[in-house]
Amino acid sequence: MGAGASDLAAPAEAAGSGLGDMPELCAGEVLLRLGAPDICRLARLNRAFRSAAGADFVWEAKLPENYGYLMGFVRGSAGEDVEGGGKRGAVGKKEVYARLAKAVRFDDGKREFWLEKSTGMVCMALSSKSLVITGIDDRRYWVHMPNTESRFQSVAYLQQIWWFEVVGEIDFRFPAGTYSLYFRLHLGKPSSSRHAGRRGCGSEKNAGSGIHGWDRKPVRFQLSTSDGQNAVSQRYLDDEPGSWALYHAGDFVVAPDTEEHGQGRPVRVKFSMAQIDCTHTKGGLCVDSVLVYPRGFRTERVVDAQR
């Protein structure tokens, strides 16, 4: 996506006068029509763009309407503050955008959100340790294993179980928009090493070992929201072992905030995946995380379930 969060936070470098010194307000009007990475690139063009690229009015237009609420998760963490009162004092909107474009962890490090740098939309990830997983405390069924390909450096691996169910909940103020919820899964036995190969959770040699039961019955995905939205789908877990995939559980819509003073509309999302036919066991599955992305945005292969 080009310029990253570090580019946003760094001062713009001096550059030539390519287009000459146009008025800063004119440069600002151009930048208002661009995404954050392109703003950072144009800041290197000349003095007018460099100055406009640091202006609050440019970056406030890129921030989600509830950025104050989002920064509430940052305040008090490592001495950070926004807009005065803390160790760093007041910071500009560019610095606010840069901070939110990095992962902001909460819930004892088991959840995080960040701004997708190009659009300023909110993304969220929930680790397997933030989910309610049937049998997770019994090592006959599940084990937590380290893995460098997880955002949280750990995955839950299912060895074998009769009743498979993973449940979670999100209670958050999302900016208005449509969001997709995914389970990040991997078929195959994970490596116990923190230096697992790039094929995913396990090596190519053991990727298919231990996988069983998923071809007997489909997994059922469900999603519901506090304002009455529902999605139900199902799919057999029959993809090629050895690589991660995002299994689409459903979409939900957050309406524009009309009464909450720019804090975003509160929404509670409940979700689950289950295969509870107890006539057979199933196993050989890595559960890494649950991801919430703006609809249409994705970073990995997506598996759409059948409605």
Side-chain angles (χ1 to χ4, degrees):
M1 293 187 295
S6 59
D7 296 323
L8 294 170
E13 300 174 1
S17 58
L19 296 176
D21 287 338
M22 67 166 59
E24 180 183 331
L25 286 178
C26 292
E29 287 297 323
V30 174
L31 299 183
L32 284 172
R33 291 160 173 77
L34 302 176
D38 289 329
I39 292 175
C40 293
R41 294 189 191 101
L42 279 183
R44 300 183 175 95
L45 186 60
N46 61 27
R47 186 178 63 182
F49 279 110
R50 187 162 63 252
S51 178
D56 277 354
F57 78 91
V58 170
W59 289 100
E60 186 155 24
K62 305 303 173 183
L63 286 164
E65 61 182 7
N66 67 335
Y67 72 87
Y69 164 78
L70 299 176
M71 284 299 294
F73 289 87
V74 177
R75 295 188 187 100
S77 173
E80 293 184 84
D81 190 26
V82 60
E83 298 183 316
K87 293 182 180 180
R88 295 179 56 188
V91 297
K93 298 301 188 294
K94 179 181 178 181
E95 287 71 28
V96 172
Y97 195 103
R99 181 61 190 90
L100 292 176
K102 302 175 184 178
V104 179
R105 290 211 166 176
F106 62 107
D107 189 22
D108 296 325
K110 293 182 289 187
R111 304 173 186 232
E112 65 182 32
F113 70 86
W114 66 97
L115 297 189
E116 197 283 303
K117 289 188 286 291
S118 295
T119 65
M121 294 288 288
V122 171
C123 303
M124 182 176 287
L126 291 74
S127 77
S128 60
K129 293 183 178 180
S130 72
L131 308 175
V132 178
I133 302 176
T134 300
I136 191 63
D137 295 324
D138 192 328
R139 290 182 61 87
R140 293 175 300 173
Y141 306 133
W142 290 90
V143 290
H144 286 291
M145 304 193 73
N147 189 267
T148 56
E149 293 191 337
S150 168
R151 298 183 68 94
F152 301 94
Q153 302 298 303
S154 174
V155 300
Y157 175 65
L158 173 63
Q159 300 178 104
Q160 179 170 284
I161 204 166
W162 293 89
W163 183 289
F164 171 78
E165 188 171 32
V166 179
V167 179
E169 183 175 315
I170 300 169
D171 194 349
F172 197 74
R173 291 178 179 267
F174 285 94
T178 302
Y179 298 85
S180 298
L181 188 142
Y182 304 96
F183 283 86
R184 188 173 190 256
L185 307 176
H186 173 292
L187 282 168
K189 185 177 177 62
S191 168
S192 59
S193 170
R194 289 185 179 273
H195 306 287
R198 293 189 61 82
R199 269 191 66 83
C201 200
S203 67
E204 184 174 356
K205 180 179 178 180
N206 68 15
S209 62
I211 303 172
H212 65 282
W214 305 111
D215 57 344
R216 300 281 297 275
K217 293 286 184 179
V219 170
R220 183 180 178 89
F221 297 91
Q222 291 185 281
L223 178 154
S224 63
T225 68
S226 51
D227 59 359
Q229 301 175 67
N230 293 279
V232 180
S233 59
Q234 60 183 13
R235 179 178 174 85
Y236 287 93
L237 303 188
D238 55 3
D239 294 283
E240 179 184 359
S243 61
W244 291 105
L246 303 181
Y247 284 77
H248 185 206
D251 296 341
F252 62 94
V253 178
V254 178
D257 174 16
T258 57
E259 300 178 356
E260 298 295 334
H261 309 293
Q263 294 301 298
R265 185 178 291 274
V267 60
R268 180 177 291 108
V269 183
K270 296 182 178 181
F271 52 87
S272 66
M273 59 178 295
Q275 208 272 57
I276 55 178
D277 184 339
C278 293
T279 61
H280 64 282
T281 62
K282 35 266 178 188
L285 178 70
C286 290
V287 178
D288 172 39
S289 57
V290 167
L291 296 163
V292 178
Y293 287 147
R295 188 170 66 179
F297 174 75
R298 56 190 62 180
T299 58
E300 296 176 278
R301 182 170 61 92
V302 169
V303 177
D304 283 309
Q306 290 83 39
R307 278 1 188 219

